[in-house]
Amino acid sequence: MRGWWREIAGLVLPVACGGCGRPRTELCPECAQTLTGTGPRRVRPAPEPAGLPVVHAAAPYADAVRELLLAHKERGALALAGPLGGALAGAVEAAAGAVAGSGEGRCSSYRCRPRGVPYGRAATIRRGGSPWRRPPDCGGPDGTRGWRRS
């Protein structure tokens, strides 16, 4: 049923890949591979400033990855939130592993907690939805998932 509805909606509101523009798909397999294929890795600017913390990137910010991010952020392609969030989660896990391996930080007590989020109706509409209705699938090293209400 879902595929049928997408086909009808595609006649009225055509979709194209956010990375390369291929018609009839929100994210083509080639762009998905570009986003997640190499895996997260540590990145460093040249020259590297003193005291720069360890930085990890999900993918190089170029070509299809850049277009995917711009489609999501500037053109409202909300269907890309899942794939982009998955790539970001991989980079966060790599960074958390690097911090845990160095003896810095307290990764065992990691929690995802939104703070200072305005929850009025107008603010929720501007933000694109409630963070409580669609919690991220962000798991800390201790295995916690989703938002922690406190």
Side-chain angles (χ1 to χ4, degrees):
M1 181 75 173
R2 187 175 189 181
W4 174 80
W5 183 250
R6 274 192 186 173
E7 292 297 322
I8 296 297
L11 292 172
V12 177
L13 303 167
V15 297
C17 175
C20 64
R22 178 184 285 180
R24 300 174 53 97
T25 182
E26 293 155 343
L27 179 62
C28 70
E30 289 82 14
C31 291
Q33 178 64 26
T34 303
L35 182 62
T36 60
T38 60
R41 65 190 173 288
R42 183 169 181 196
V43 292
R44 298 177 185 155
E48 185 174 353
L52 180 72
V54 176
V55 178
H56 285 77
Y61 184 72
D63 304 326
V65 175
R66 180 180 183 276
E67 291 302 318
L68 287 170
L69 286 168
L70 292 176
H72 178 67
K73 290 171 66 176
E74 295 181 3
R75 295 186 292 273
L78 297 179
L80 297 174
L84 290 171
L88 177 62
V92 169
E93 285 179 3
V99 169
S102 69
E104 299 175 13
R106 295 171 52 189
C107 292
S108 62
S109 63
Y110 173 82
R111 301 275 188 191
C112 292
R113 297 168 63 173
R115 294 288 186 211
V117 177
Y119 58 88
R121 182 178 178 149
T124 301
I125 291 170
R126 278 193 309 270
R127 189 173 50 248
S130 170
W132 298 113
R133 292 202 178 168
R134 50 183 172 82
D137 185 20
C138 55
D142 62 349
T144 58
R145 291 269 188 230
W147 295 117
R148 183 179 101 183
R149 295 180 188 232
S150 58

